[in-house]
């Protein structure tokens, strides 16, 4: 979306959050992953960013998050643009007012770097097109590449449904430099998936993902973990193609628990789970065993539990959430998202 006159123009972009099934945890070089990762793109949790550009000749930037000036975030963006200046020459002579907001509450503890960084990059690429008088559509591969430089998991948010970031043998064109869409490799059942996010804590993360990634350097289980994630990526891609929900569940849950085990066995160790996290996980497993309904969970780098299930069982799962699980959530809060 854009408005334009000679002195200023406005671009607005929306970009979603994503939830990894095979997790990215450990990196090297300039934001390169130590193993491939695969994620569902969400649709209701997103960031919307608006940039007002003034051709004033006075370069500068102001950043507003949810209506309030945020200098810490501005400094982060200024540093990112300076570190990667070779890609952003088109910003010369522009004054930027960046206004960003999330569709999900700030206190929900949902990591927003994937949606916020990819929304920012989409806006910047729109600005590049306006500056260059280019009316073709944004190159998503380039958007993914630049989003990766800003925040690894953001590389996957530029594609709908499912994205793969990192080189893996069975996907021609897959790369550590950017994510690719795997939408056309996914059976219909997975395209209907829900991700119900149970908000167990709304506190800020105790350990940033940047610090968590760096603790994988020298981690005694690092080599075995990267090998396992490579294998899981291949097995999951096949399961997604076959529509094999049982194989999907096995990988989703083992990846989630492995991520948190890696944190607990880091030096120094840390633990992002809350008591309610394990209670929900156990309740989900008991429910699945008792009903045969293929409901499973995954976790991000935090205590909130993401429940994954197909649309065909959504009514039953929502009843289960309302009856047995909301009691574990902060202020009974949960977010009903869907793959999109
Ligand atoms: O993109 P980062 O640096 O915030 O790392 C994200 C790491 C996880 O969310 C835990 C896993 C993933 O692949 O999204």
């Amino acid at each position: 979306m854009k408005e334009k006159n000679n002195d200023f123009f406005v671009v607005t972009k929306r970009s979603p959050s994503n939830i990894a099934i095979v997790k990215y945890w450990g990196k090297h070089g300039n934001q390169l992953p130590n193993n491939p990762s695969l994620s569902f793109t969400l649709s209701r949790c997103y960031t919307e960013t608006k940039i007002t550009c003034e051709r004033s000749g006075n370069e500068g930037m102001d950043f507003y998050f949810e209506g309030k000036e945020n200098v810490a975030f501005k400094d982060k963006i200024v540093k990112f643009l300076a570190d990667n200046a070779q890609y952003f020459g088109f910003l010369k002579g522009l004054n930027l007012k960046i206004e960003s907001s999330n569709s999900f509450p700030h206190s929900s503890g949902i990591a927003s770097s994937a949606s916020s960084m990819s929304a920012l990059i989409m806006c910047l690429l729109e600005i590049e097109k306006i500056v260059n008088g280019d009316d073709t559509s944004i190159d998503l591969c380039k958007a993914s590449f630049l989003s990766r430089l800003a925040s690894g998991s953001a590389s996957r948010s530029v594609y709908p449904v499912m994205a793969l970031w990192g080189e893996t043998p069975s996907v021609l064109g897959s790369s550590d430099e950017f994510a690719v869409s795997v939408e056309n490799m996914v059976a219909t059942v997975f395209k209907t998936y829900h991700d119900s996010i149970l908000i167990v804590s709304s506190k800020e993360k105790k350990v940033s993902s940047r610090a968590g990634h760096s603790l994988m350097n020298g981690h005694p289980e690092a080599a075995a973990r990267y090998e396992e994630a490579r294998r899981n990526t291949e097995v999951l891609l096949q399961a997604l193609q076959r529509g094999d929900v049982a194989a999907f569940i096995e990988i989703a849950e083992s990846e989630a628990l492995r991520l948190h085990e890696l944190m607990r066995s880091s030096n120094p160790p840390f633990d992002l789970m809350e008591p309610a996290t394990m209670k929900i996980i156990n309740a989900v497993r008991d429910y699945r065993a008792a009903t045969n309904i293929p409901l499973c969970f995954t976790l991000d780098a935090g205590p909130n539990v993401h429940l994954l299930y197909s649309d065909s069982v959504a009514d039953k799962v929502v009843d289960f959430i309302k009856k047995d699980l909301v009691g574990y959530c902060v202020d009974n809060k949960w977010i009903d998202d869907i793959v999109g």
Side-chain angles (χ1 to χ4, degrees):
M1 213 207 314
K2 57 194 180 209
E3 295 164 30
K4 198 174 167 186
N5 77 14
N6 285 338
D7 300 323
F8 81 94
F9 57 92
V10 177
V11 299
T12 307
K13 293 280 177 191
R14 202 180 255 198
S15 190
S17 186
N18 69 72
I19 179 71
I21 308 303
V22 176
K23 311 291 181 184
Y24 148 61
W25 199 241
K27 60 180 172 179
H28 64 277
N30 192 3
Q31 298 267 97
L32 291 164
N34 288 347
N35 63 258
S37 56
L38 254 173
S39 57
F40 278 130
T41 306
L42 301 179
S43 47
R44 295 179 184 149
C45 289
Y46 59 81
T47 298
E48 190 166 282
T49 297
K50 171 180 168 189
I51 305 187
T52 307
C53 303
E54 205 185 335
R55 299 180 208 262
S56 62
N58 294 325
E59 277 172 42
M61 182 194 297
D62 291 310
F63 184 90
Y64 294 83
F65 179 68
E66 264 145 35
K68 277 225 233 63
E69 190 158 21
N70 186 322
V71 176
F73 216 97
K74 171 193 151 172
D75 291 347
K76 215 171 134 180
I77 298 172
V78 168
K79 181 176 181 325
F80 164 71
L81 294 176
D83 289 349
N84 296 283
Q86 73 265 40
Y87 304 114
F88 300 106
F90 58 88
L91 293 175
K92 203 161 177 44
L94 293 182
N95 193 288
L96 310 180
K97 179 181 178 195
I98 307 178
E99 292 165 277
S100 195
S101 57
N102 292 337
S103 63
F104 43 92
H106 186 50
S107 60
S108 62
I110 296 175
S112 57
S113 73
S115 57
S116 61
M117 289 306 171
S118 53
L120 174 73
I121 295 297
M122 294 299 273
C123 281
L124 294 175
L125 290 180
E126 190 67 39
I127 293 171
E128 180 177 37
K129 290 194 312 108
I130 293 170
V131 168
N132 293 340
D134 170 4
D135 58 9
T136 60
S137 52
I138 288 176
D139 175 353
L140 293 185
C141 184
K142 183 174 175 185
S144 176
F145 169 82
L146 294 174
S147 298
R148 178 208 107 216
L149 294 175
S151 165
S153 56
S155 67
R156 300 183 307 239
S157 270
V158 306
Y159 301 103
V161 184
M162 275 206 111
L164 163 74
W165 172 36
E167 201 179 335
T168 194
S170 71
V171 180
L172 207 69
S174 58
S175 168
D176 288 354
E177 300 274 351
F178 48 81
V180 295
S181 169
V182 288
E183 182 177 356
N184 62 2
M185 298 175 72
V186 176
T188 316
V189 59
F190 294 112
K191 295 183 183 170
T192 75
Y193 257 52
H194 290 233
D195 176 6
S196 292
I197 309 165
L198 305 189
I199 312 298
V200 162
S201 166
S202 49
K203 289 189 215 128
E204 285 277 315
K205 275 198 268 188
K206 287 179 266 184
V207 177
S208 69
S209 63
R210 174 191 293 267
H213 285 292
S214 74
L215 288 174
M216 283 304 286
N217 297 325
H219 194 296
E221 289 161 43
R225 162 60 195 160
Y226 301 141
E227 196 42 49
E228 169 193 66
R230 284 183 202 115
R231 215 170 38 241
N232 280 348
T233 301
E234 285 293 311
V235 175
L236 180 60
L237 281 165
Q238 286 164 20
L240 291 167
Q241 262 167 318
R242 283 197 310 272
D244 186 339
V245 171
F248 171 86
I249 291 177
E250 213 175 297
I251 292 193
E253 295 192 348
S254 73
E255 278 284 319
L257 295 174
R258 171 70 81 236
L259 174 69
H260 285 256
E261 273 165 28
L262 290 165
M263 296 170 182
R264 289 176 173 157
S265 51
S266 292
N267 183 15
F270 61 106
D271 186 357
L272 299 183
M273 285 198 193
E274 294 284 337
T277 310
M278 271 323 293
K279 290 199 173 122
I280 294 170
I281 288 175
N282 290 331
V284 165
R285 289 181 152 173
D286 290 348
Y287 175 80
R288 188 167 70 229
T291 62
N292 266 330
I293 291 173
L295 166 68
C296 70
F297 68 87
T298 188
L299 302 166
D300 215 333
N304 297 333
V305 184
H306 292 245
L307 298 187
L308 304 172
Y309 51 96
S310 70
D311 194 51
S312 59
V313 296
D315 289 347
K316 289 187 184 119
V317 173
V318 169
D319 283 347
F320 168 57
I321 294 172
K322 288 184 177 160
K323 189 170 154 284
D324 293 327
L325 302 180
V326 285
Y328 296 119
C329 301
V330 179
D331 301 331
N332 293 341
K333 256 194 303 193
W334 62 287
I335 296 174
D336 183 24
D337 210 335
I338 51 170
V339 168

